[in-house]
Every structure is written in structure tokens, then in C-alpha cells.
Amino acid sequence: MDRRIKKNQVAIMNALIHLIGEKDFDKITINEIAERADVNRGTIYSHYSDKYDLLDKCLEAQLYHLIESCSSVDETEPYPSKSSLLRTLGQMEKNALFYRNLLSNKGIPSFRNHLQKMMTNQVMEQIVESNLSLNELSKDILVQFLSSAIVGVIEWWLTQPMPCSVEEITEQLWSLLEQNQMILRSES
């Protein structure tokens, strides 16, 4: 990809992220995004169909970056592991303002939906790998229960603003996952 194109896309996404911290998404205009990114409106429309498309691409990029930065750094480490959860929550803590803005901005329910979908996929993958003997309905209910609980705890932690350390929330969340037999492999 051309460096100018990449630079413009990064500037546009960063402009949107900063504006989300200042006002409701519904009130943000393409002109404001363009002005903040120091590009013209046409540049935005050459990459995104509208501000909703920009938001979706921005959320996908942020969640992809989150997943990439938090996946196993050691091939022998089981996934999920307590250390991968700690890295994930640590990454969210580093960008707490961004995630808090996305979770608390009334115009952006799609972030929570993206986060929920990502978590649902991760939980389903773990259940399949664990070979739990569940019927399809029980598996679906377990996936929904665990993924909703995890996202709910993360949302609470970020929006409160962080009533406990990343280590404490990791320990508590990991303990809850173990109690619900989600984590079947023990860490070494």
C-alpha cells in the first residue's frame, strides 16, 4: 500500500478516535473528521463510504491490533492463558480512554457488538478445542453466557474507571473462568 494512503487512513482514524472522545458519534461530521485529519472530504470518501463505514473499519483495526498484540508470544503457551488475558487487559488499560469512549458513547453500539463477537468466537474456539461433551443448545448457551460475562466485566472495569489494577481484574476474571470450567488446561 502506498505510504501516503496509509498515512491518510491513520490520520482519518485518529481524527475519528479523538472526536469520539469529545462528542457523541451521531454529532460528528465528515467535515470535522477531515479538518482534524488535515485532509479534504474527498480523501475520506475515497477510502470510506461514510462515517459509519469509517467507524466499522476503525473498530476492526483496533480489535485486530488488540488480538495481535495479545496473542501468545510463546508457541508452548496454551491459549487462552492467564498471561494472554493479562496482556489483553493491559493493552486495553494502555488505551483506556479510547475503549472507555467507545463503550460509553451512545452512538457506538457497534463497538460492544464487535467486542462481543470477538469474545464469542474465542470462547467457541476454546470449547471446541476442549472437546466438551455438550449438545448444541448447551454449547450455544455456554458460549453466550461466558462471552457476555467477560465483555460485561471488561466494560464495567473500563467505564468505572478501572476500580482495580489490571493484575487484580485478570486474577478475578481468570478465577471465574476456571470455576465455570472454561479453562480446562492449567498453566505451568
Side-chain angles (χ1 to χ4, degrees):
M1 178 183 298
D2 184 341
R3 288 188 326 168
R4 268 183 323 183
I5 292 171
K6 184 72 175 162
K7 183 179 174 189
N8 283 340
Q9 288 176 333
V10 167
I12 292 166
M13 285 187 183
N14 284 337
L16 177 63
I17 289 168
H18 286 98
L19 286 166
I20 287 170
E22 298 169 13
K23 62 195 317 188
D24 284 344
F25 177 73
D26 290 337
K27 294 184 168 110
I28 296 172
T29 67
I30 290 292
N31 284 340
E32 289 173 311
I33 297 168
E35 186 176 311
R36 182 71 59 100
D38 198 24
V39 299
N40 64 45
R41 288 172 47 94
T43 302
I44 294 176
Y45 286 119
S46 71
H47 299 294
Y48 311 100
S49 58
D50 56 24
K51 73 177 187 177
Y52 299 97
D53 182 41
L54 168 58
L55 177 63
D56 282 342
K57 299 289 190 300
C58 186
L59 295 179
E60 287 172 17
Q62 291 298 320
L63 288 173
Y64 176 79
H65 177 70
L66 183 64
I67 291 169
E68 284 296 302
S69 67
C70 304
S71 51
S72 183
V73 291
D74 178 3
E75 294 289 323
T76 62
E77 177 185 64
Y79 186 82
S81 67
K82 191 189 292 186
S83 62
S84 67
L85 179 61
L86 180 64
R87 283 191 306 277
T88 302
L89 293 173
Q91 185 67 26
M92 292 182 103
E93 181 183 46
K94 285 180 190 171
N95 298 298
L97 183 61
F98 168 73
Y99 290 111
R100 189 176 302 123
N101 286 338
L102 290 177
L103 287 167
S104 61
N105 194 309
K106 295 177 187 84
I108 312 180
S110 61
F111 176 69
R112 192 177 198 295
N113 296 342
H114 277 61
L115 188 60
Q116 181 73 41
K117 183 178 178 185
M118 179 186 83
M119 196 56 62
T120 298
N121 290 340
Q122 294 291 327
V123 170
M124 180 58 87
E125 188 177 303
Q126 178 62 26
I127 288 173
V128 168
E129 285 179 17
S130 299
N131 291 321
L132 290 177
S133 57
L134 300 169
N135 65 41
E136 206 54 42
L137 178 61
S138 295
K139 187 185 303 180
D140 289 344
I141 291 170
L142 181 60
V143 167
Q144 287 307 306
F145 170 74
L146 291 171
S147 62
S148 296
I150 293 166
V151 170
V153 168
I154 291 170
E155 183 176 19
W156 167 82
W157 179 63
L158 285 168
T159 58
Q160 283 312 302
M162 292 184 241
C164 57
S165 72
V166 70
E167 292 80 13
E168 290 172 307
I169 193 71
T170 299
E171 194 62 44
Q172 292 288 321
L173 194 49
W174 190 259
S175 177
L176 290 168
L177 291 171
E178 286 180 321
Q179 288 174 22
N180 284 285
Q181 299 179 345
M182 180 55 206
I183 308 304
L184 301 178
R185 296 177 281 199
S186 62
E187 282 198 288
S188 304

Short mmCIF file of all heavy atoms in Angstrom, two decimals, residues 78-81 123 125-134 142 146 174 177-187:
data_model
loop_
_atom_site.label_atom_id
_atom_site.label_comp_id
_atom_site.label_asym_id
_atom_site.label_seq_id
_atom_site.Cartn_x
_atom_site.Cartn_y
_atom_site.Cartn_z
N PRO A 78 -0.29 -22.25 26.37
CA PRO A 78 -1.65 -22.56 25.95
C PRO A 78 -2.43 -21.26 25.69
O PRO A 78 -2.10 -20.23 26.25
CB PRO A 78 -2.25 -23.32 27.13
CG PRO A 78 -1.43 -22.89 28.30
CD PRO A 78 -0.06 -22.55 27.77
N TYR A 79 -3.42 -21.35 24.85
CA TYR A 79 -4.27 -20.19 24.61
C TYR A 79 -5.71 -20.62 24.76
O TYR A 79 -6.10 -21.62 24.19
CB TYR A 79 -4.05 -19.61 23.21
CG TYR A 79 -4.81 -18.32 23.02
CD1 TYR A 79 -4.30 -17.13 23.50
CD2 TYR A 79 -6.06 -18.31 22.43
CE1 TYR A 79 -5.00 -15.95 23.37
CE2 TYR A 79 -6.77 -17.14 22.30
CZ TYR A 79 -6.23 -15.96 22.76
OH TYR A 79 -6.93 -14.81 22.65
N PRO A 80 -6.49 -19.95 25.51
CA PRO A 80 -6.15 -18.76 26.29
C PRO A 80 -5.35 -19.14 27.53
O PRO A 80 -5.44 -20.26 28.02
CB PRO A 80 -7.50 -18.17 26.67
CG PRO A 80 -8.42 -19.34 26.71
CD PRO A 80 -7.90 -20.31 25.69
N SER A 81 -4.61 -18.21 28.01
CA SER A 81 -3.86 -18.40 29.25
C SER A 81 -4.05 -17.15 30.10
O SER A 81 -4.48 -16.11 29.61
CB SER A 81 -2.37 -18.61 28.94
OG SER A 81 -1.83 -17.42 28.41
N VAL A 123 -14.37 -17.86 22.75
CA VAL A 123 -14.95 -18.84 23.68
C VAL A 123 -15.36 -20.10 22.94
O VAL A 123 -15.08 -21.22 23.39
CB VAL A 123 -16.15 -18.22 24.45
CG1 VAL A 123 -16.91 -19.29 25.23
CG2 VAL A 123 -15.67 -17.12 25.38
N GLU A 125 -14.11 -21.27 20.16
CA GLU A 125 -12.87 -21.95 19.78
C GLU A 125 -12.33 -22.76 20.95
O GLU A 125 -11.92 -23.91 20.79
CB GLU A 125 -11.86 -20.91 19.33
CG GLU A 125 -10.60 -21.47 18.72
CD GLU A 125 -9.70 -20.35 18.23
OE1 GLU A 125 -10.14 -19.53 17.40
OE2 GLU A 125 -8.55 -20.28 18.71
N GLN A 126 -12.35 -22.17 22.14
CA GLN A 126 -11.85 -22.86 23.33
C GLN A 126 -12.72 -24.07 23.66
O GLN A 126 -12.20 -25.12 24.01
CB GLN A 126 -11.81 -21.90 24.53
CG GLN A 126 -11.35 -22.53 25.82
CD GLN A 126 -9.94 -23.06 25.76
OE1 GLN A 126 -9.12 -22.59 25.00
NE2 GLN A 126 -9.65 -24.06 26.56
N ILE A 127 -14.02 -23.93 23.54
CA ILE A 127 -14.92 -25.06 23.83
C ILE A 127 -14.71 -26.19 22.84
O ILE A 127 -14.65 -27.36 23.21
CB ILE A 127 -16.39 -24.58 23.85
CG1 ILE A 127 -16.63 -23.74 25.11
CG2 ILE A 127 -17.37 -25.75 23.78
CD1 ILE A 127 -17.98 -23.07 25.17
N VAL A 128 -14.56 -25.84 21.57
CA VAL A 128 -14.32 -26.87 20.55
C VAL A 128 -12.99 -27.58 20.81
O VAL A 128 -12.92 -28.81 20.77
CB VAL A 128 -14.35 -26.23 19.13
CG1 VAL A 128 -13.81 -27.19 18.09
CG2 VAL A 128 -15.77 -25.80 18.79
N GLU A 129 -11.94 -26.81 21.10
CA GLU A 129 -10.62 -27.40 21.39
C GLU A 129 -10.63 -28.25 22.64
O GLU A 129 -9.87 -29.20 22.76
CB GLU A 129 -9.56 -26.31 21.53
CG GLU A 129 -9.15 -25.69 20.22
CD GLU A 129 -8.11 -24.59 20.39
OE1 GLU A 129 -7.48 -24.51 21.47
OE2 GLU A 129 -7.94 -23.81 19.44
N SER A 130 -11.49 -27.91 23.60
CA SER A 130 -11.55 -28.64 24.87
C SER A 130 -12.34 -29.94 24.76
O SER A 130 -12.36 -30.72 25.70
CB SER A 130 -12.19 -27.76 25.94
OG SER A 130 -11.44 -26.60 26.13
N ASN A 131 -13.00 -30.14 23.63
CA ASN A 131 -13.80 -31.34 23.40
C ASN A 131 -14.83 -31.58 24.51
O ASN A 131 -15.01 -32.70 24.97
CB ASN A 131 -12.92 -32.58 23.24
CG ASN A 131 -12.14 -32.55 21.96
OD1 ASN A 131 -12.66 -32.13 20.92
ND2 ASN A 131 -10.88 -32.95 22.02
N LEU A 132 -15.46 -30.51 24.97
CA LEU A 132 -16.51 -30.68 25.96
C LEU A 132 -17.68 -31.42 25.33
O LEU A 132 -18.07 -31.14 24.21
CB LEU A 132 -16.99 -29.31 26.47
CG LEU A 132 -16.04 -28.51 27.33
CD1 LEU A 132 -16.65 -27.17 27.67
CD2 LEU A 132 -15.70 -29.27 28.60
N SER A 133 -18.20 -32.39 26.05
CA SER A 133 -19.32 -33.15 25.51
C SER A 133 -20.63 -32.44 25.88
O SER A 133 -21.22 -32.67 26.92
CB SER A 133 -19.31 -34.58 26.04
OG SER A 133 -19.33 -34.59 27.43
N LEU A 134 -21.03 -31.53 25.01
CA LEU A 134 -22.26 -30.76 25.20
C LEU A 134 -23.12 -30.90 23.96
O LEU A 134 -22.61 -31.00 22.85
CB LEU A 134 -21.93 -29.27 25.38
CG LEU A 134 -21.04 -28.86 26.55
CD1 LEU A 134 -20.61 -27.42 26.39
CD2 LEU A 134 -21.79 -29.06 27.85
N LEU A 142 -23.66 -21.89 26.79
CA LEU A 142 -22.40 -21.68 27.49
C LEU A 142 -21.57 -20.59 26.82
O LEU A 142 -21.02 -19.72 27.49
CB LEU A 142 -21.60 -22.99 27.55
CG LEU A 142 -20.25 -22.91 28.28
CD1 LEU A 142 -20.43 -22.49 29.74
CD2 LEU A 142 -19.53 -24.26 28.19
N LEU A 146 -20.65 -17.14 28.83
CA LEU A 146 -19.27 -16.77 29.12
C LEU A 146 -18.82 -15.52 28.37
O LEU A 146 -18.19 -14.64 28.95
CB LEU A 146 -18.33 -17.95 28.82
CG LEU A 146 -18.47 -19.13 29.77
CD1 LEU A 146 -17.67 -20.32 29.27
CD2 LEU A 146 -18.04 -18.74 31.18
N TRP A 174 -9.97 -14.65 35.56
CA TRP A 174 -9.42 -15.99 35.32
C TRP A 174 -10.03 -17.00 36.29
O TRP A 174 -10.40 -18.10 35.90
CB TRP A 174 -7.90 -15.98 35.42
CG TRP A 174 -7.31 -17.26 34.94
CD1 TRP A 174 -6.85 -18.31 35.68
CD2 TRP A 174 -7.15 -17.65 33.57
NE1 TRP A 174 -6.40 -19.31 34.87
CE2 TRP A 174 -6.57 -18.94 33.57
CE3 TRP A 174 -7.42 -17.03 32.36
CZ2 TRP A 174 -6.28 -19.62 32.39
CZ3 TRP A 174 -7.12 -17.71 31.19
CH2 TRP A 174 -6.56 -18.99 31.22
N LEU A 177 -13.49 -17.85 35.17
CA LEU A 177 -13.46 -18.74 34.01
C LEU A 177 -13.13 -20.17 34.43
O LEU A 177 -13.74 -21.12 33.95
CB LEU A 177 -12.46 -18.24 32.97
CG LEU A 177 -12.84 -16.94 32.27
CD1 LEU A 177 -11.67 -16.42 31.43
CD2 LEU A 177 -14.08 -17.12 31.41
N GLU A 178 -12.19 -20.31 35.34
CA GLU A 178 -11.85 -21.65 35.84
C GLU A 178 -13.04 -22.28 36.57
O GLU A 178 -13.32 -23.46 36.40
CB GLU A 178 -10.65 -21.58 36.79
CG GLU A 178 -9.35 -21.36 36.08
CD GLU A 178 -8.17 -21.29 37.03
OE1 GLU A 178 -8.30 -20.71 38.13
OE2 GLU A 178 -7.12 -21.82 36.66
N GLN A 179 -13.74 -21.49 37.36
CA GLN A 179 -14.90 -22.00 38.09
C GLN A 179 -15.99 -22.49 37.14
O GLN A 179 -16.74 -23.39 37.46
CB GLN A 179 -15.47 -20.93 39.02
CG GLN A 179 -14.61 -20.64 40.21
CD GLN A 179 -15.15 -19.47 41.00
OE1 GLN A 179 -16.32 -19.13 40.94
NE2 GLN A 179 -14.26 -18.85 41.78
N ASN A 180 -16.08 -21.86 35.99
CA ASN A 180 -17.09 -22.26 35.02
C ASN A 180 -16.55 -23.28 34.03
O ASN A 180 -17.11 -23.50 32.97
CB ASN A 180 -17.61 -21.03 34.28
CG ASN A 180 -18.56 -20.25 35.15
OD1 ASN A 180 -19.69 -20.66 35.34
ND2 ASN A 180 -18.08 -19.15 35.71
N GLN A 181 -15.44 -23.91 34.37
CA GLN A 181 -14.82 -24.98 33.59
C GLN A 181 -14.51 -24.55 32.16
O GLN A 181 -14.44 -25.37 31.26
CB GLN A 181 -15.69 -26.23 33.59
CG GLN A 181 -15.89 -26.78 34.97
CD GLN A 181 -16.75 -28.01 34.98
OE1 GLN A 181 -17.44 -28.32 34.01
NE2 GLN A 181 -16.72 -28.73 36.07
N MET A 182 -14.34 -23.25 31.97
CA MET A 182 -13.98 -22.77 30.65
C MET A 182 -12.52 -23.05 30.37
O MET A 182 -12.15 -23.43 29.28
CB MET A 182 -14.27 -21.26 30.56
CG MET A 182 -13.95 -20.64 29.24
SD MET A 182 -14.78 -21.47 27.90
CE MET A 182 -13.67 -21.08 26.58
N ILE A 183 -11.69 -22.88 31.35
CA ILE A 183 -10.27 -23.08 31.19
C ILE A 183 -9.96 -24.48 31.71
O ILE A 183 -9.97 -24.72 32.91
CB ILE A 183 -9.44 -22.04 31.96
CG1 ILE A 183 -9.93 -20.63 31.61
CG2 ILE A 183 -7.97 -22.20 31.71
CD1 ILE A 183 -9.91 -20.28 30.14
N LEU A 184 -9.73 -25.39 30.80
CA LEU A 184 -9.54 -26.78 31.19
C LEU A 184 -8.08 -27.17 31.31
O LEU A 184 -7.75 -28.21 31.81
CB LEU A 184 -10.25 -27.70 30.18
CG LEU A 184 -11.74 -27.45 30.07
CD1 LEU A 184 -12.36 -28.35 29.02
CD2 LEU A 184 -12.44 -27.66 31.39
N ARG A 185 -7.20 -26.33 30.80
CA ARG A 185 -5.78 -26.60 30.88
C ARG A 185 -5.20 -25.74 31.98
O ARG A 185 -5.51 -24.56 32.07
CB ARG A 185 -5.10 -26.28 29.56
CG ARG A 185 -5.58 -27.17 28.45
CD ARG A 185 -4.92 -26.75 27.19
NE ARG A 185 -5.63 -25.56 26.72
CZ ARG A 185 -5.58 -25.11 25.48
NH1 ARG A 185 -4.85 -25.74 24.59
NH2 ARG A 185 -6.24 -24.06 25.11
N SER A 186 -4.34 -26.30 32.78
CA SER A 186 -3.73 -25.48 33.83
C SER A 186 -2.43 -24.87 33.31
O SER A 186 -1.78 -25.45 32.46
CB SER A 186 -3.45 -26.33 35.07
OG SER A 186 -2.55 -27.35 34.74
N GLU A 187 -2.10 -23.72 33.86
CA GLU A 187 -0.86 -23.06 33.47
C GLU A 187 0.30 -23.69 34.22
O GLU A 187 0.17 -24.10 35.36
CB GLU A 187 -0.92 -21.57 33.82
CG GLU A 187 -1.73 -20.81 32.83
CD GLU A 187 -1.40 -19.34 32.95
OE1 GLU A 187 -1.81 -18.72 33.95
OE2 GLU A 187 -0.75 -18.84 32.04
#
